Amino acid sequence: MEVTRAALLIDGDNISIRHDATLKREAQKIGRLDVTRVYGGPCVSAEWLTTPGIRFMQAGTGKNAADLLLSIDAMELAFSGGIDAFAIASSDGDFTHLAQRLREKGHHVTGLGDARAPERFRTACHE
């Protein structure tokens, strides 16, 4: 039986820690979560640092530092051939290009965000 390997990549500067259980539950619908990471700068909620099962990726300071690191990691995971499906947790339209590129490479992309998520990001994802 073939298993779909999935990654949950969370924009910790944009998504609250209170959604962690929902994010994991939704992401598990696309496959086995082999990679679960949250990206943030020095002002990210300290709770993200100690959440079980989620690896915190320190993005440093600077405009869009967390977004850039999340995008780099997503493409690295996509090109390494190990991850089949991605859940991108953000309501930031800046991830539109990432979602489109992952789809072009044949990966399933789920966007997880709130009502603020722009339509362009929503339509770039499969769901």
Side-chain angles (χ1 to χ4, degrees), residues 2 6 10 14 17 21-22 34 38-41 54 59 71 76 78 87 91-93 96-97 107 115 119 126-127:
E2 190 169 321
I10 304 166
N14 186 272
I17 182 69
T22 302
D34 287 343
V38 62
Y39 299 81
I54 297 180
S71 296
E76 183 178 286
S91 295
D92 187 340
T96 300
H97 298 292
H107 299 282
E119 189 63 27
H126 285 101
E127 56 191 355

Side-chain angles (χ1 to χ4, degrees), residues 7-83:
L8 169 58
L9 307 178
I10 304 166
D11 178 0
D13 291 340
N14 186 272
I15 299 288
S16 169
I17 182 69
R18 71 176 182 267
H19 301 297
D20 71 316
T22 302
L23 295 173
K24 288 179 193 175
R25 186 173 52 254
E26 290 299 313
Q28 287 172 339
K29 293 178 181 178
I30 63 172
R32 182 184 69 208
L33 283 181
D34 287 343
V35 177
T36 306
R37 299 178 183 166
V38 62
Y39 299 81
C43 296
V44 73
S45 169
E47 293 174 275
W48 277 123
L49 300 172
T50 58
T51 304
I54 297 180
R55 182 176 173 197
F56 179 74
M57 306 298 288
Q58 174 59 257
T61 60
K63 182 166 172 44
N64 295 326
D67 294 2
L68 290 169
L69 185 56
L70 187 154
S71 296
I72 290 167
D73 280 359
M75 293 311 296
E76 183 178 286
L77 291 165
F79 286 118
S80 72
I83 299 296

